[in-house]
Structure formats: structure tokens, C-alpha cells
Amino acid sequence: MLEDLSQYILDIAENSAKAKARQVLVELKIDNSKKLIVLRVSDDGFGMDEDLLKKVEDPFTTTRKERRVGLGIPFLKQAALACEGFFKITSERGKGTIVEAGFRKDHIDCPPLGDIASTIATLIMGWPQCRWIFRYEVDDRSFTLDLADLLGYLEDRELLKSPKVVLWIKEYIQENISLLHGKEGGDGIA
């Protein structure tokens, strides 16, 4: 199992980038009235055919050449179901994939959020050619970071690999997450 939701986001979103997605949408929704956290990653990458989609939840199924196991999706499913949540994956070859997992927020086995801001900044830095869209919602309030908007202010996409730019992105995301949780300068943890 991975330690927190940010690690699941990193693993699943990296799969999207490696599947040559041009756009990846990472959504994290926290509904306090329903005591629910929903993680959703959708992409326009290669997608999977029906046969691979049936096998993808098996840890001994992977398309990677560097190792023989693929643990991200099976661990995400296990973590979601362990806290009375849900897991769903849909994919179509040539169109992309959607991975969605729900977690009962008040369940003892619900993983912490982790460092969401660093995770999104890492994804942007690691795959600057991809259009990353990050949406974070708490009840009826939301924050969206769209890389296309950021690129309007930068002279060159390569600046997304600059430590100063990546640090600013991380701090910008963290500040907005904290504000959604009603914390100024807080850690943004729900």
C-alpha cells in the first residue's frame, strides 16, 4: 500500500503521462457532508483495450518493461475498498482512461491526503509537454490550476523545469488548498 493519496495520484497520473496523454485532469473532491473524498484521474492517452482493462486490477499485470508488477491500480482499489469506498476504471483504446476512487473520510483506514501540491508540481516538472489540469474541491468551493493558463505567462515551456517556477507552482497550489480549508498559510490537510 502507498502511504497517502498524493502517492496514488503520482502513480496513476504518471501512468497517464507514460500513455502519451496530451491532457491529464486530476480531481480531488472532498464532500464533508457526505464524509467522502473522491480522487479522479482522466486522460486522453492510449487507453486500454477490453482485455487489458479486465486484467489491470491484477498486480501481476503491467505494460511496463522495467518490472513485472503493476501495483498502483490494485493498491488504489484495495485502499478505497478498505475504507468502505469505491473504485472504478474505464478506458477505451485510442481515447483514454478514467480512474476514480472514493474513500469514506471518517474511516480509520482512509489514507491521509499527503503533499498534494508537491505531487502536482512534480508531475508538471516531469512531463511539461502534457497539459495538466488540477481541480481541488471542498464542498461547494473549488480551485483549478490549468497548465495552459500558466503557459500564457511563461515565455517557454522549458521554464516549467526551473526550480524557482516549480516552487512557485507548489506554493500557489498549497496556498489555494489551504484557503479552501479555511486556513491561511496552513497545511491544507482535511
Side-chain angles (χ1 to χ4, degrees):
M1 290 271 215
L2 300 177
E3 292 181 19
D4 57 51
L5 289 179
S6 71
Q7 292 177 349
Y8 288 107
I9 290 171
L10 184 64
D11 185 78
I12 302 303
E14 280 182 334
N15 288 345
S16 296
K18 289 175 182 177
K20 304 293 184 206
R22 292 179 314 278
Q23 177 175 303
V24 180
L25 172 61
V26 177
E27 298 173 281
L28 198 56
K29 299 177 184 183
I30 300 169
D31 186 328
N32 287 308
S33 65
K34 293 181 180 175
K35 297 182 176 12
L36 185 65
I37 298 172
V38 177
L39 165 62
R40 186 172 197 250
V41 178
S42 53
D43 69 55
D44 64 353
F46 291 147
M48 293 177 266
D49 59 32
E50 202 172 308
D51 186 48
L52 182 56
L53 187 59
K54 289 176 185 174
K55 297 176 186 174
V56 77
E57 295 173 28
D58 178 350
F60 299 104
T61 297
T62 185
T63 59
R64 294 182 183 170
K65 306 288 185 240
E66 64 269 14
R67 65 177 194 230
R68 293 184 181 182
V69 293
L71 299 174
I73 289 174
F75 278 175
L76 177 61
K77 179 180 180 180
Q78 182 180 359
L81 298 180
C83 61
E84 299 174 9
F86 65 88
F87 176 83
K88 181 168 64 170
I89 183 168
T90 57
S91 188
E92 188 175 336
R93 193 88 177 133
K95 299 223 176 175
T97 301
I98 300 171
V99 177
E100 190 171 27
F103 303 83
R104 204 180 90 205
K105 186 180 169 202
D106 62 347
H107 195 281
I108 193 167
D109 291 324
C110 183
L113 295 177
D115 192 349
I116 302 294
S118 288
T119 296
I120 300 302
T122 298
L123 290 166
I124 290 170
M125 183 177 72
W127 289 274
Q129 72 282 1
C130 188
R131 177 181 179 190
W132 295 98
I133 304 170
F134 171 62
R135 184 171 299 128
Y136 190 95
E137 295 181 23
V138 178
D139 300 324
D140 61 347
R141 299 166 315 202
S142 67
F143 159 70
T144 301
L145 173 78
D146 187 334
L147 187 56
D149 294 337
L150 276 182
L151 288 172
Y153 297 101
L154 297 174
E155 297 170 11
D156 182 4
R157 190 176 285 269
E158 284 300 308
L159 287 173
L160 293 171
K161 294 181 179 183
S162 159
K164 285 183 181 180
V165 172
V166 173
L167 180 61
W168 180 87
I169 291 170
K170 176 188 173 234
E171 290 173 350
Y172 179 68
I173 294 169
Q174 188 58 59
E175 177 182 323
N176 280 281
I177 288 173
S178 294
L179 289 172
L180 289 176
H181 287 282
K183 303 174 186 178
E184 288 200 36
D187 63 7
I189 303 301

